């Protein structure tokens, strides 16, 4: 579908935008290699949608440079539009039309011939599980179906870069998982995805790289693993059959603390094999029976809260 | 940048094909939402019946000089051009509403991020509304004929009338495409073209301007709807048109151009927030 060259799909330097006195983007830099999923993570009002609007030519930056698919968004908006697809937070679907008619509209606007258009409509309907609902008015679609139709419409033009602005906000868990699978399939086809989300598990699940946006700045960037490593807070959780086990273990393991549940202990640990072996050896020496042992590395929630917490307390 | 992948053909615009696509979209939307068209036709029909049957006898008598002794039938002939204009005003109010509805939905945002001839989003609405206007006009003129409207225009007169009505509709539609965009909400959009509905009352449409007090009379004689109505009246009833036809066309050209430029500017402005 796309040429996998060394050029980044999206390159942003020093992007700034304010509305009046309110600074929304305070100089952000981003680099998204082609064929990857990049996730912009942030709370409501962090500047995610503004970033998408600028990159998709809907809005102009006050300063900074942004190139999408190799084209400058300010100077070559036509070429950018020809290279991208955007699925926003609010469904961009004609609600008086059926699913099929909505796709037909997109096919016509992309100047696809009648036969080619019909072929692609059938394929997209099938790929997105909408074949049965194709002739129903889209106003009767469920939230998940509407979002899938929305994305199918975006794909009609075979975009090289796809912007998904909070694609699963308001969807039920099942529809979210469907959407995730669709995103994975797209990436497998070589498309670049720029995803904004406020859900950490979504970024963790899908993104190759994550940038955490807070107060108009990128406060952290890296893979999910890299971000997690920045935050201490890993621990081992031990579960015992009875209170004697808990007491015995507390005697042996100095740093252990009781977990919420009376029969469990939390022991700080970096999760490495060596530290686990030491821990198990100590328990073994005293013949303390452990029912269950689980290792917890910090999840993105910990990272996100740690990275964005300061700001909240300052305010 | 040697790594760009678009061929020049990918960057070509197709304004005619895009406009045709958008026109099909708008016509289909009108069919899916017929109550809107019915409502737009209903308003001028109600006014027509009200003015012919309730006020017609008295107002017709007051017209004096006109032929036929001046009664309800005389007034039906007098008021129909004003009702025709009111029909157009009603249809373009519908344009403003449907533009505002469109803007409120995400699909226009999608169009803005697509590589299409941008103006086609607007021209699709304009052409759709002109077609809707012609249907509404045919219906309203049909009712007028039923209630006593007796034009003496021949085929030529009717053709000129049709052409003139297309021009008037076209120019008012462009104005309302701008009004619909500037409104922000559907509620505001349905109120914004209100002056267009009211202006026919302050013109020569319902009563001759020389029966009005001086200030009002000056306004009535210089506002755009009076020359438009007088031209229509001349084309349909054979009354003298004088300078009115070119003053009317000048007003139309000004409204169309102004509406077009304003609409284009509004459509290209960046979305707020």
């Amino acid at each position: 579908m796309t040429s996998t060259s060394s050029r980044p799909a999206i390159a942003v330097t020093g992007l700034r935008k304010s509305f009046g006195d309110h600074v929304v983007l305070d100089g952000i830099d981003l680099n998204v290699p082609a064929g990857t999923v990049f996730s912009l993570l942030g709370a409501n009002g962090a500047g995610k949608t503004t970033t998408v609007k600028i990159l998709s030519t809907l809005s102009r930056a006050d300063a900074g440079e942004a190139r999408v698919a190799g084209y400058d968004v300010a100077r070559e908006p036509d070429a950018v539009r020809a290279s991208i697809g955007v699925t926003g937070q609010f469904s961009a679907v004609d609600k008086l039309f059926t699913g099929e008619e909505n796709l037909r509209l997109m096919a016509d606007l992309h100047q696809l011939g009648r036969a080619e258009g019909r072929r692609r409509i059938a394929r997209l309907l099938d790929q997105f599980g909408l074949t049965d609902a194709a002739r129903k008015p889209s106003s009767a679609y469920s939230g998940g179906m509407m979002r899938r139709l929305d994305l199918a419409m975006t794909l009609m033009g075979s975009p090289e870069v796809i912007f998904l602005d909070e694609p699963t906000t308001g969807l039920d868990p099942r529809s979210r998982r469907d959407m995730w699978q669709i995103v994975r399939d797209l990436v497998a086809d070589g498309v670049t995805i720029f995803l904004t989300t406020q859900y950490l598990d979504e970024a963790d699940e899908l993104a190759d790289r994550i940038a955490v946006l807070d107060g108009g700045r990128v406060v952290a960037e890296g893979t999910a693993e890299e971000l997690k490593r920045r935050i201490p807070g890993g621990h081992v959780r031990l579960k015992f059959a009875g209170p004697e086990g808990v007491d015995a273990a507390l005697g042996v393991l100095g740093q252990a603390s009781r977990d919420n549940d009376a029969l469990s202990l939390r022991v700080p640990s970096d999760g490495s094999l060596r530290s686990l072996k030491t821990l198990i050896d100590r328990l073994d020496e005293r013949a303390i029976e452990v029912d269950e042992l689980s290792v917890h590395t910090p999840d993105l929630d910990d990272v996100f809260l740690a990275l964005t917490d300061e700001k909240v307390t300052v305010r | 940048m040697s790594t760009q992948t678009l061929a020049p053909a990918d960057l070509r615009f197709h304004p005619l094909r895009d406009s045709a696509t958008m026109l099909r979209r708008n016509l289909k939307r009108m069919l899916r939402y017929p109550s809107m068209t019915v409502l737009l036709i209903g308003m001028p029909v109600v006014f027509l019946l009200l003015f012919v049957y309730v006020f017609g006898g008295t107002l017709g008598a007051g017209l004096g000089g006109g032929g036929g002794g001046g009664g309800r039938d005389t007034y039906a002939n007098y008021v129909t051009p004003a009702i025709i204009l009111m029909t157009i005003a009603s249809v373009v109010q519908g344009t403003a509403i449907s533009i505002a509805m469109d803007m409120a939905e995400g699909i226009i945002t999608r169009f803005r991020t697509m590589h299409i001839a941008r103006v086609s989003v607007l021209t699709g609405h304009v052409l759709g509304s002109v077609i809707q206007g012609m249907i509404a006009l045919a219906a309203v003129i049909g009712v007028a004929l039923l209630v006593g409207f007796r034009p003496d225009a021949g085929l030529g007169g009717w053709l000129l009338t049709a052409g003139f009505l297309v021009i008037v509709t076209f120019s008012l539609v462009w104005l309302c495409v701008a009004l619909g965009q500037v409104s922000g909400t559907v509620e505001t959009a349905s109120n914004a073209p209100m002056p267009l509905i009211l202006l026919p009352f302050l013109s020569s449409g319902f009563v001759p301007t020389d029966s009005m007090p001086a200030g009002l009379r000056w306004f009535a004689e210089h506002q755009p709807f009076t020359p438009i109505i007088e031209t229509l009246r001349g084309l349909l009833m054979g009354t003298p048109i004088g300078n009115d036809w070119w003053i009317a066309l000048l007003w139309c050209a000004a409204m169309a151009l102004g509406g077009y430029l304003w609409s284009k500017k509004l459509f290209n402005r960046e979305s707020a927030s």
Side-chain angles (χ1 to χ4, degrees), chain B residues 83-93 133 137 165 168-169 172:
Chain B
I83 297 294
I84 287 176
L85 198 62
M86 200 178 241
T87 310
I88 298 177
S90 177
V91 166
V92 299
Q93 187 183 21
L137 285 168
L165 288 176
V168 175
T169 311
L172 286 175

Side-chain angles (χ1 to χ4, degrees), chain A residues 63-95:
Chain A
E65 205 194 353
R67 302 188 82 89
V68 174
Y71 299 102
D72 187 295
V73 293
R75 283 191 293 272
E76 302 159 291
D78 292 332
V80 171
R81 286 183 203 127
S83 312
I84 63 170
V86 186
T87 292
Q89 271 179 67
F90 305 104
S91 62
V93 167
D94 193 319
K95 295 197 182 69

Side-chain angles (χ1 to χ4, degrees), chain B residues 5 9 23 28 33 38 46 130 147 149 156 169 211 220 252:
Chain B
T5 48
L23 171 61
K28 213 183 266 181
Y33 192 29
V38 171
V46 167
V130 170
V147 301
F149 175 50
T169 311
S211 64
C252 287

Side-chain angles (χ1 to χ4, degrees), chain A residues 269-285:
Chain A
S269 160
D270 58 3
S272 69
L273 212 57
R274 181 176 296 274
S275 69
L276 280 178
K277 186 169 185 308
T278 317
L279 176 69
I280 293 167
D281 285 349
R282 278 212 196 140
L283 294 166
D284 233 22
E285 278 165 26

Side-chain angles (χ1 to χ4, degrees), chain A residues 3 5 7 17 19 53 56-60 67 69-71 76 78-79 81-84 86 91-98 101-102 105-106 108-111 150 153-154 160, chain B residues 1 3-7 10-11 13-14 17-18 21-22 24-26 28-30 32-33 101-102 105-116 118 120 269-273:
Chain A
S3 65
S5 55
R7 131 167 96 66
K17 176 81 179 175
F19 295 107
K53 279 188 168 174
S56 60
T57 76
L58 282 173
S59 187
R60 274 179 170 272
R67 302 188 82 89
Y71 299 102
E76 302 159 291
D78 292 332
R81 286 183 203 127
S83 312
I84 63 170
V86 186
S91 62
V93 167
D94 193 319
K95 295 197 182 69
L96 293 179
F97 279 22
T98 66
E101 285 168 338
N102 268 299
L105 178 66
M106 291 300 119
D108 288 345
L109 290 174
H110 283 112
Q111 321 291 336
D150 201 326
M153 288 167 73
T154 300
E160 185 182 331
Chain B
M1 287 285 139
T3 48
Q4 292 163 349
T5 48
L6 292 172
D10 295 328
L11 287 176
F13 286 109
H14 305 272
R17 267 197 275 175
D18 287 350
T21 303
M22 292 299 184
R24 274 202 303 280
R25 164 171 185 260
N26 286 302
K28 213 183 266 181
R29 284 173 64 89
M30 283 173 202
R32 295 283 153 83
Y33 192 29
M101 274 167 70
D102 239 9
E105 290 193 26
I107 189 133
I108 295 283
T109 310
R110 176 190 290 283
F111 292 149
R112 281 182 213 264
T113 63
M114 289 174 66
H115 183 74
I116 56 173
R118 291 196 140 199
S120 68
R269 81 185 154 177
E270 65 178 62
S271 47
S273 84

